[in-house]
Amino acid sequence: MPQSLSAVFVHLVFSTKDRRPFLKEKSLREEAHAYIGAVSGRLDCPSMIVGGVEDHVHILAQLGRSRSQADWAKELKRVSSLWLGEKIPGFHWQSGYGVFSVGTAEIEAVRRYVENQEEHHRRYSFQDELRSLLKEHGRAWDERYLWD
C-alpha cells in the first residue's frame, strides 16, 4: 500500500500540579480548552473535544500517524503551560498523564463523558476518576507515584 493511513483515537487526561484549582474561572477554563484543542491540531492530533474542571483536563483526539503519544502529551502540556503561565502566576501541569485507547464504537460515549465533566465532578474527585479509568483499562499503578 503506497499510502500510510491511521485511525487511532485516544483519551488524554492530566492534572494541574498538586491538583491546584488554577482553572476555577469558567471563561478562562473554556479559553484554555480551546487553546489546548488548537495546539493539539497543530501537532497533527486533531481534538474532537477538550474539557475538564478547575484542576484537570481531558482531551479526546485522533493521534497523528507520525506522532508518539508521549511526544504529543509532552508538547501539548509544554505549550499550554507556557500560555497559561502568562495568565496565571505559578501555573504548572503535573509531570505525568494518563492516555487511554478509544475504540471507534466508544468515541461518542467518551465525547459525552468529557463534555459532562462539571456534572461528573459534583460526585467524584479527580483521584477517584483516574483510578476508575486505570481499572477500566486494566492498568496497575502505585499510589506513591501517581500524584504530584
Side-chain angles (χ1 to χ4, degrees):
M1 178 194 282
Q3 192 174 26
S4 298
L5 304 169
S6 175
V8 177
F9 300 93
V10 293
H11 176 192
L12 175 65
V13 183
F14 52 88
S15 174
T16 58
K17 179 81 172 159
D18 299 320
R19 290 162 314 286
R20 291 183 54 198
F22 283 116
L23 302 171
K24 259 191 165 159
E25 188 181 314
K26 188 169 182 150
S27 62
L28 176 62
R29 188 166 59 244
E30 289 172 350
E31 187 180 1
H33 295 165
Y35 184 80
I36 290 167
V39 170
S40 189
R42 288 194 302 271
L43 295 172
D44 194 31
C45 298
S47 66
M48 302 169 87
I49 188 170
V50 179
V53 292
E54 63 270 1
D55 65 352
H56 70 281
V57 297
H58 292 257
I59 302 131
L60 173 61
Q62 184 172 355
L63 192 62
R65 66 179 180 80
S66 62
R67 174 92 46 195
S68 76
Q69 61 187 354
D71 288 343
W72 171 57
K74 180 181 177 183
E75 188 64 5
L76 189 61
K77 289 171 63 180
R78 185 188 72 78
V79 171
S80 63
S81 184
L82 290 171
W83 182 80
L84 282 162
E86 292 177 3
K87 298 176 176 303
I88 306 167
F91 180 87
H92 292 286
W93 293 119
Q94 72 177 126
S95 60
Y97 62 87
V99 65
F100 306 97
S101 61
V102 178
T104 54
E106 302 166 310
I107 289 172
E108 203 47 48
V110 174
R111 181 195 303 269
R112 283 191 307 274
Y113 178 76
V114 172
E115 190 173 62
N116 292 312
Q117 280 293 293
E118 288 185 34
E119 173 69 26
H120 176 76
H121 285 289
R122 289 188 185 116
R123 296 178 306 234
Y124 301 101
S125 70
F126 171 68
Q127 293 92 327
D128 289 341
E129 176 181 52
L130 187 58
R131 288 182 194 110
S132 177
L133 285 166
L134 291 165
K135 283 179 194 172
E136 180 183 328
H137 290 272
R139 300 286 41 160
W141 70 92
D142 186 329
E143 286 284 330
R144 294 174 299 173
Y145 307 110
L146 198 56
W147 317 112
D148 70 347

